[in-house]
């Protein structure tokens, strides 16, 4: 597509302040944008799901094998990159060309990456410009933007939901939520948990203590990372066996993602990998990310042989306690409204979805998405 000068657009409702030469550029190769992406991250507003490390690992381990192709929209002011939209093109049902976010189901939040020097008005106008330009693409049937968070990482309203072009949710039956805890001291956080729940946790702890020594540990070496990741994958695969048609933790692409991303994120200081041990046996783990003072609760697991003793619950308690002690500001449960999360918090962020057909095939896709997909979800809710 090459570079497109946005000065050629007609008239916008508001102009972008302090910017004289705004242009966008389509990029189809991750290597072509890597250096600028990493440079932008140093002074950007983003969730970790939009980091170069996360999305490049998703692409090289998973996306590429499912024939996803990057279509990254970079926005420049003069020669400086100020925003980035990490999209990709996928084939859905074999015939529909869909523009969507990179990251697939491994990105719980999908949003642009903005320079932290931009005002909220400037962010919104950039979203308007980019969305208008995307609607002109000739080789795309439909725009499908899933899991758009209500807020950005800095707490500001996400302009992707408030541009006047993108509706809040085009498929309201699929509203999603992401619970989170604003952390303070451990006592105040834990006292919010129902007395009955705390009593059951104490009972589980006594049971396990009767069996041996319980230890909670955060991985500090590469060897621990590799070992605990292997245990997590094994426990998740076993737990999901027979519960889902497609068990991602028995898929080599997904296994490689967790192994490779874990190693690289550990080297960069963002991996937060913990485990609960009973004597010498790991009975629960959590594979997550600590980024910008936010702990992402991503992939917990437990040994099914100890299911009745609540190892996952006890690990979660220890992890939240450690976050409080370390002055982490937010414990993010991420996507999903599992009942146990509501024991800890009433705070929820809404995640929206947006679908816009661009061609006749796109309108057919929209009809399938609206009518057939909800039916399939009722038949197989998992």
């Amino acid at each position: 597509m090459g570079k497109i000068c946005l000065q050629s657009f007609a008239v916008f409702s508001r102009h972008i302040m302090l910017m004289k030469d705004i242009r966008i550029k389509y990029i189809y190769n991750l290597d072509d944008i890597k250096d600028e992406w990493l440079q932008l991250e140093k002074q950007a507003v983003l969730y970790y799901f939009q980091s170069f490390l996360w999305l490049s690992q998703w692409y090289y381990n998973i996306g590429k094998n499912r024939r996803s192709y990057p279509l990254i929209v970079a926005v420049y002011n003069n020669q400086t990159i100020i925003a980035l939209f990490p999209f990709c093109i996928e084939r859905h049902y074999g015939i529909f060309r869909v523009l969507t976010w990179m990251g697939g189901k491994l990105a719980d939040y999908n949003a642009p990456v903005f320079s932290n020097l931009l005002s909220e008005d400037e962010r919104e106008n950039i979203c308007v410009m980019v969305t208008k330009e995307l609607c002109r693409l000739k080789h795309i049937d439909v725009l499908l933007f899933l899991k758009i968070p209500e807020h950005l990482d800095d707490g500001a309203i996400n302009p992707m939901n408030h541009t006047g072009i993108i509706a809040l949710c085009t498929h309201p039956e699929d509203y999603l939520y992401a619970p989170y805890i604003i952390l303070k001291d451990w006592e105040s956080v834990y006292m919010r948990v129902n007395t009955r729940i705390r009593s059951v946790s104490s009972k589980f702890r006594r049971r396990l203590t009767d069996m041996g020594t319980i230890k909670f540990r955060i991985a500090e070496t590469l060897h621990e990372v590799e070992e605990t990741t292997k245990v997590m994958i094994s426990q998740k695969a076993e737990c999901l066996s027979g519960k889902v048609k497609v068990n991602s933790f028995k898929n080599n692409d997904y296994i490689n993602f967790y192994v490779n991303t874990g190693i690289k994120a550990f080297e960069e200081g963002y991996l937060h990998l913990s485990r609960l041990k009973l004597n010498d046996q790991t009975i629960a783990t959590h594979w997550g990310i600590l980024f910008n003072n936010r702990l992402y609760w991503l992939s917990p697991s437990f040994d099914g042989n100890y299911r009745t003793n609540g190892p996952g619950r006890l690990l979660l308690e220890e992890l939240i306690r450690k976050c409080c002690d370390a002055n982490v500001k937010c414990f993010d449960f991420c996507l999903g409204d599992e009942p146990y999360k509501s024991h800890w918090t009433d705070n929820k962020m809404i995640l929206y979805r947006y679908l816009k057909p661009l061609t006749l095939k796109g309108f057919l896709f929209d009809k399938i998405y609206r009518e057939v997909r909800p039916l399939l979800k009722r038949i197989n809710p998992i």
Side-chain angles (χ1 to χ4, degrees):
M1 288 288 181
K3 300 176 181 179
I4 301 177
C5 180
L6 296 184
Q7 291 176 335
S8 64
F9 285 144
V11 177
F12 294 98
S13 58
R14 294 190 296 267
H15 66 285
I16 296 185
M17 303 299 294
L18 304 178
M19 298 184 185
K20 299 179 180 179
D21 182 21
I22 305 302
R23 59 188 174 88
I24 68 174
K25 180 180 179 181
Y26 292 107
I27 297 163
Y28 301 91
N29 189 314
L30 283 175
D31 291 337
D32 293 342
I33 191 66
K34 177 180 179 180
D35 291 343
E36 289 180 300
W37 193 330
L38 293 174
Q39 187 62 35
L40 178 61
E41 282 186 25
K42 295 178 181 178
Q43 46 90 52
V45 177
L46 76 158
Y47 290 106
Y48 195 74
F49 300 116
Q50 281 74 61
S51 67
F52 181 83
L53 191 157
W54 189 269
L55 291 182
S56 63
Q57 287 299 314
W58 171 83
Y59 176 68
Y60 289 121
N61 288 290
I62 299 170
K64 195 172 183 179
N65 294 337
R66 56 187 272 187
R67 297 185 178 179
S68 296
Y69 302 98
L71 196 164
I72 299 159
V73 181
V75 183
Y76 294 85
N77 179 28
N78 294 315
Q79 300 302 312
T80 303
I81 188 168
I82 56 173
L84 188 146
F85 294 71
F87 296 127
C88 66
I89 301 172
E90 296 182 340
R91 286 275 184 177
H92 285 215
Y93 306 111
I95 60 172
F96 301 107
R97 300 162 300 181
V98 178
L99 182 75
T100 189
W101 301 97
M102 296 180 68
K105 67 180 184 179
L106 289 176
D108 281 17
Y109 308 146
N110 293 314
V113 179
F114 291 113
S115 165
N116 59 19
L117 300 178
L118 294 171
S119 69
E120 292 188 25
D121 282 349
E122 289 168 341
R123 296 175 187 176
E124 182 167 336
N125 278 301
I126 286 172
C127 286
V128 171
M129 294 176 179
V130 169
T131 308
K132 282 187 175 181
E133 195 59 34
L134 292 176
C135 290
R136 303 180 185 194
L137 294 175
K138 303 299 183 183
H139 60 302
I140 300 296
D141 294 313
V142 64
L143 306 180
L144 180 61
F145 300 154
L146 306 177
K147 296 180 288 185
I148 307 174
E150 182 179 6
H151 298 98
L152 298 177
D153 183 64
D154 63 355
I157 292 293
N158 184 353
M160 284 294 286
N161 296 319
H162 294 268
T163 63
I165 294 178
I166 293 182
L168 283 178
C169 192
T170 52
H171 296 75
E173 71 277 3
D174 287 332
Y175 270 115
L176 300 173
Y177 297 94
Y180 62 93
I181 310 171
I182 299 301
L183 297 177
K184 298 177 182 178
D185 60 283
W186 165 247
E187 288 74 19
S188 63
V189 170
Y190 197 48
M191 286 304 293
R192 190 239 174 255
V193 178
N194 183 278
T195 303
R196 181 183 62 82
I197 300 298
R198 287 186 277 133
S199 176
V200 172
S201 293
S202 296
K203 180 178 69 174
F204 287 154
R205 194 177 296 275
R206 288 194 299 270
R207 281 185 188 174
L208 290 174
T209 301
D210 288 342
M211 298 180 192
T213 303
I214 305 174
K215 290 183 179 179
F216 174 82
R217 181 170 177 81
I218 298 172
E220 297 179 349
T221 67
L222 185 57
H223 174 71
E224 284 185 283
V225 167
E226 294 172 334
E227 180 183 51
T228 308
T229 300
K230 183 178 179 180
V231 173
M232 181 276 290
I233 291 170
S234 174
Q235 290 179 351
K236 291 288 281 190
E238 181 64 27
C239 179
L240 294 174
S241 253
K243 294 183 179 179
V244 292
K245 290 184 177 179
V246 179
N247 189 339
S248 298
F249 287 89
K250 290 187 177 180
N251 181 314
N252 286 335
D253 291 348
Y254 283 85
I255 291 172
N256 290 338
F257 171 85
Y258 282 102
V259 170
N260 296 333
T261 304
I263 292 172
K264 292 182 181 296
F266 174 75
E267 291 172 347
E268 294 189 2
Y270 298 126
L271 182 70
H272 197 282
L273 187 56
S274 56
R275 58 181 170 175
L276 189 70
K277 297 187 71 175
L278 176 61
N279 299 323
D280 293 326
Q281 183 176 359
T282 297
I283 59 174
T285 76
H286 173 249
W287 190 103
I289 293 291
L290 179 57
F291 178 71
N292 283 353
N293 245 337
R294 177 188 296 265
L295 193 288
Y296 293 83
W297 174 256
L298 295 179
S299 188
S301 73
F302 63 88
D303 187 330
N305 295 319
Y306 294 87
R307 180 187 302 272
T308 58
N309 295 310
R313 177 188 295 199
L314 297 181
L315 179 139
L316 175 59
E317 290 185 4
E318 292 296 329
L319 183 55
I320 295 175
R321 185 201 300 268
K322 289 292 184 183
C323 286
C324 291
D325 292 344
N327 294 318
V328 175
K329 300 303 181 186
C330 178
F331 190 96
D332 193 339
F333 280 112
C334 296
L335 178 62
D337 56 357
E338 293 87 348
Y340 75 87
K341 297 178 181 179
S342 65
H343 298 158
W344 289 90
T345 182
D346 292 325
N347 297 322
K348 291 182 179 180
M349 180 168 65
I350 302 174
L351 304 178
Y352 300 103
R353 69 177 66 236
Y354 171 74
L355 191 158
K356 182 177 180 63
L358 302 181
T359 66
L360 287 176
K361 285 202 298 183
F363 282 98
L364 176 59
F365 179 90
D366 184 44
K367 186 174 181 62
I368 292 173
Y369 203 90
R370 286 179 184 273
E371 298 181 8
V372 178
R373 185 172 176 274
L375 177 62
L376 294 177
K377 286 187 70 176
R378 286 195 291 271
I379 294 172
N380 181 25
I382 296 179

